[in-house]
Amino acid sequence: MRVLVCVKRVPQTGGRIVLTADGQAIDTKFLGFTISPHEECGVEEAVRIIEAQGGESVVLTLGAAAAEEQLRDAMALGVDRAVLLETDGSEWDPVSTAAVIADTIRAQEAAGGPFDLVIFGNESADSGGFQVGIRVAVALGRPVVNGLKGLTLGSGSITARREAAGGGWETYELPTPAIVGVKEGLNLPRYPSVPGRLRAKKKEVERITIGASGSGPAAVSGAPTGPMKSMLRLPQEAESQVEILGRGAEAAPAVVDLLQKIGVVAR
Amino acid sequence: MSGPILVLVELGSGDGAGTADRVSLETLAFARSLADGLGGAPVEALLVGSDASGAAAALGAHGVTTGHVVTDAAIAGAYAPAAWGAALAELAGARGAVAIIGPGTDRGAEVLAHAAARLGAPLAANVLSATPGDSWSVTRQRWAGSLLEDATLDASVRCLTMAPHAVAVDERAGSPAAAVASFAPAIAPADLLVRVTGHEPPSKGSISLTDAKVVVGGGRGVGSAAAFSELEELAELLGAAIGVSRVVTSNGWRPHTQQVGQTGQRIAPDLYIACGISGAIQHIVGCKSAKRILAINTDAESPIMALADYAVIGDLHQVVPAVSAEIRRRAG
Ligand SMILES: Cc1cc2nc3c(=O)[nH]c(=O)nc-3n(C[C@H](O)[C@H](O)[C@H](O)COP(=O)(O)OP(=O)(O)OC[C@H]3O[C@@H](n4cnc5c(N)ncnc54)[C@H](O)[C@@H]3O)c2cc1C
Ligand SMILES: Nc1ncnc2c1ncn2[C@@H]1O[C@H](COP(=O)(O)O)[C@@H](O)[C@H]1O
């Protein structure tokens, strides 16, 4: 069994987002980095599948050299090795990203055999394009379904479930090799152990330099890429004036007065 | 005149079965305003469903001139993302569409991604506004709406999904019914491999988080799975659902189905009582549609205070039980 999981390094924003002066990016001077919770569940699933069935798990990212941190994090949880498609740190649009990832999958498979399963997040945390996994699947001609919160591997097939729009669940069957987009809730990811972190330091990161966006295969073929970001802005939020109802348990009567006033508790 | 704007219209489920769903109607309202900017381009719709004809005709009130319906059971019998995407791409080509717009729902986003991938066209997800031109300028949501991106779409067919609840439904009574055209796309067997093969009904009894009028929220400040009994007691008294932060689900204190935020549920209750929740932006995007927020937090400076309407500064383990006791006392 071979499983590939794709993750994207994003800033860990806290209570509020601060942009750089040119409006091109989030100011990350004081921020740490992470991956989407959806992708964390993807990493955990890849590790569990290989623990149960044997084989190899691989984590892949397209990003700046610093994205090695997120690859090591995934390897600390048990992923066997990593591929870093190293950019110059500029932003890559989803069309170009998918084209390069699809090419890389072809090359990895030519060298090491087919991936039974390629796992993406349902959407990236920062850009939220909802498309890279599907574009890769279309490029490779593989079955794909997004939004999964349950995966069961059979022999040669996968049973998957996702939440239905009106409540409840819908199930899908996919023949392997397949591609899936997963959501947080798929599983409960483990925390890294100290031995896991030490082992991760020794694991292999294969670096492939790809440079600036627009240097990828889509640009070469002349197909349209994008959307092309021109500027980031913070949405205008209505400022609310907070009314302090009191401190500690003594505030209880004031709270219940409020609950009665707004009709949540009967008078 | 320009080619049509083609809108993917999803049919509702449950009580709304057989009619267009709400986010699709919002998407049509958006398409109608875009069409005005394109010198009155027609708005056409694609509906997939064995009994979609009635729903298609009714879209006239939402500005649709022609509703194309796919009724072939092989495609319409069960949701099949690749097949629906292929149908949308084929129809866009046949009609010379200048844009394809879908609702920013799970299915809408998925079908548009398939269609865009097949057409070799870029796709902008969760768009709030668009200005046609040689290349189109769009404003779209990032970080689930806590950040906006201005971007350009350069392609002969512009693919977008519409952010849910960004525009109001625009229904005009007395409009002529939409023409209904049956559409039989050429679908390859490979595109029908992935389809819905089964349904599990929602578990009965519990109050749905997304429908609840009152939600009692718990974060790291609750401290343990066991301490949630204090919040459950209050929720029970208020007929409320429980909502939680990601710290709570990551610790395994509560199931992920109760998580509110960017990678959880979006809620819009009349009252959200946020207990021991700091108000990280990824949590806020899930609860900012609440009419009122009451924060219970030891830290008067925590970011949740910037969004809250009311607050109690203090230890939730004292405040929450005291509120429950006071409700019981007044009930007699
Ligand atoms: C891409 C991405 C997606 C994410 N998606 C989500 C999401 O969907 N939902 C989500 O919630 N988070 C999400 N997060 C995580 C988010 O950034 C925060 O880490 C998380 O919301 C913090 O949870 P919290 O408020 O419970 O914990 P903390 O931030 O640790 O806050 C705890 C709060 O409790 C207060 N407190 C402590 N003890 C008490 C007490 N005894 N009484 C009263 N108050 C007390 C503290 O003052 C503090 O304000 C996401 C993060 C990323 C990067
Ligand atoms: N730069 C990247 N490197 C690796 N994987 C990515 C990258 N961008 C997106 N992905 C994957 O594609 C998924 C969907 O991304 P998006 O289409 O941007 O919402 C993400 O959750 C990742 O799994």
Side-chain angles (χ1 to χ4, degrees):
Chain A
M1 178 73 56
R2 285 184 18 105
V3 180
L4 175 73
V5 55
C6 296
V7 304
K8 183 179 187 187
R9 171 181 169 93
V10 298
Q12 194 151 23
T13 57
R16 137 191 132 80
I17 292 181
V18 180
L19 296 177
T20 54
D22 63 3
Q24 290 300 307
I26 292 179
D27 186 346
T28 55
K29 246 184 309 229
F30 305 109
L31 300 181
F33 288 83
T34 184
I35 61 174
S36 161
H38 298 324
E39 295 157 18
E40 285 182 21
C41 289
V43 169
E44 174 67 28
E45 198 71 15
V47 172
R48 286 188 191 181
I49 290 168
I50 298 308
E51 279 172 352
Q53 314 218 358
E56 186 185 43
S57 55
V58 182
V59 59
L60 176 148
T61 197
L62 178 154
E68 181 180 340
E69 180 190 358
Q70 280 58 50
L71 298 176
R72 298 271 173 216
D73 286 349
M75 291 191 290
L77 299 178
V79 174
D80 296 312
R81 65 181 183 86
V83 178
L84 172 58
L85 298 172
E86 193 177 322
T87 67
D88 60 353
S90 63
E91 185 144 350
W92 275 58
D93 69 84
V95 172
S96 309
T97 302
V100 173
I101 291 177
D103 274 359
T104 307
I105 291 173
R106 286 192 193 99
Q108 291 285 323
E109 292 190 333
F115 291 112
D116 301 273
L117 183 64
V118 181
I119 306 176
F120 287 85
N122 187 64
E123 83 274 7
S124 55
D126 58 343
S127 154
F130 293 83
Q131 56 189 278
V132 168
I134 292 169
R135 285 185 187 278
V136 169
V138 170
L140 298 177
R142 288 189 196 170
V144 60
V145 63
N146 234 10
L148 300 181
K149 286 193 169 183
L151 279 180
T152 315
L153 266 62
S155 68
S157 76
I158 296 170
T159 307
R161 73 208 278 265
R162 88 175 184 194
E163 272 171 302
W169 298 85
E170 45 192 36
T171 49
Y172 296 84
E173 316 275 338
L174 293 83
T176 53
I179 296 191
V180 293
V182 300
K183 278 191 179 176
E184 189 180 22
L186 176 70
N187 52 43
L188 190 55
R190 69 196 70 186
Y191 287 99
S193 63
V194 174
R197 289 220 171 272
L198 292 175
R199 272 196 299 275
K201 284 191 182 154
K202 297 198 193 83
K203 289 180 182 171
E204 180 206 344
V205 176
E206 183 182 343
R207 280 185 188 69
I208 303 167
T209 305
I210 53 170
S213 178
S215 54
V220 172
S221 73
T225 58
M228 292 301 174
K229 176 190 74 181
S230 55
M231 183 71 114
L232 299 176
R233 286 185 286 129
L234 293 173
Q236 300 224 307
E237 299 290 358
E239 282 282 306
S240 79
Q241 258 317 352
V242 57
E243 181 185 334
I244 306 287
L245 299 176
R247 292 183 169 269
E250 269 104 80
V255 171
V256 183
D257 286 349
L258 170 74
L259 297 176
Q260 288 185 324
K261 191 180 91 188
I262 64 178
V264 167
V265 166
R267 275 177 210 271
Chain B
M1 197 169 68
S2 86
I5 296 176
L6 181 59
V7 176
L8 172 72
V9 170
E10 261 189 87
L11 298 172
S13 54
D15 295 343
T19 57
D21 92 318
R22 163 89 189 271
V23 184
S24 293
L25 295 180
E26 295 169 359
T27 307
L28 286 174
F30 175 73
R32 165 135 67 182
S33 65
L34 256 179
D36 293 341
L38 284 164
V43 175
E44 301 187 359
L46 172 67
L47 297 91
V48 186
S50 45
D51 52 358
S53 298
L59 296 179
H62 298 273
V64 173
T65 54
T66 305
H68 303 270
V69 295
V70 176
T71 52
D72 178 359
I75 305 160
Y79 172 62
W84 291 29
L88 190 59
E90 184 185 328
L91 183 62
R95 303 296 300 161
V98 295
I100 310 177
I101 314 181
T105 56
D106 280 346
R107 287 187 180 186
E110 187 170 44
V111 172
L112 262 286
H114 275 281
R118 274 158 195 277
L119 292 168
L123 163 67
N126 288 318
V127 166
L128 296 169
S129 66
T131 314
D134 277 348
S135 70
W136 286 26
S137 306
V138 300
T139 297
R140 58 177 296 267
Q141 295 179 330
R142 286 190 170 223
W143 288 99
S146 33
L147 187 60
L148 304 181
E149 172 188 358
D150 295 326
T152 53
L153 268 181
D154 250 322
S156 52
V157 51
R158 295 83 182 174
C159 298
L160 343 159
T161 66
M162 182 68 206
H165 311 314
V167 298
V169 172
D170 180 6
E171 181 170 12
R172 300 183 196 168
S175 314
V180 178
S182 105
F183 173 50
I187 301 297
D191 291 329
L192 288 163
L193 276 179
V194 178
R195 58 213 313 260
V196 173
T197 52
H199 293 275
E200 294 168 41
S203 52
K204 282 196 277 295
S206 59
I207 305 163
S208 144
L209 182 55
T210 45
D211 295 340
K213 292 276 170 244
V214 182
V215 174
V216 176
R220 189 198 300 275
V222 178
S224 67
F228 265 90
S229 61
E230 298 166 4
L231 271 62
E232 275 171 345
E233 183 189 12
L234 178 60
E236 177 107 22
L237 287 165
L238 299 177
I242 297 275
V244 302
S245 75
R246 177 161 187 249
V247 169
V248 170
T249 57
S250 300
N251 281 327
W253 298 345
R254 303 293 292 193
H256 183 267
T257 46
Q258 295 184 339
Q259 182 172 313
V260 171
Q262 178 168 345
T263 50
Q265 311 284 334
R266 311 287 155 88
I267 61 171
D270 292 338
L271 177 67
Y272 181 49
I273 308 180
C275 309
I277 293 176
S278 66
I281 53 164
Q282 297 89 0
H283 186 79
I284 294 301
V285 292
C287 67
K288 68 180 176 192
S289 299
K291 274 206 199 92
R292 302 178 191 82
I293 295 179
L294 163 62
I296 301 175
N297 202 301
T298 42
D299 178 6
E301 303 300 320
S302 83
I304 188 85
M305 298 300 168
L307 189 77
D309 304 285
Y310 308 96
V312 175
I313 311 302
D315 182 347
L316 71 91
H317 301 297
Q318 288 161 15
V319 179
V320 173
V323 170
S324 296
E326 179 68 13
I327 294 171
R328 265 203 220 90
R329 192 187 65 77
R330 292 195 195 182

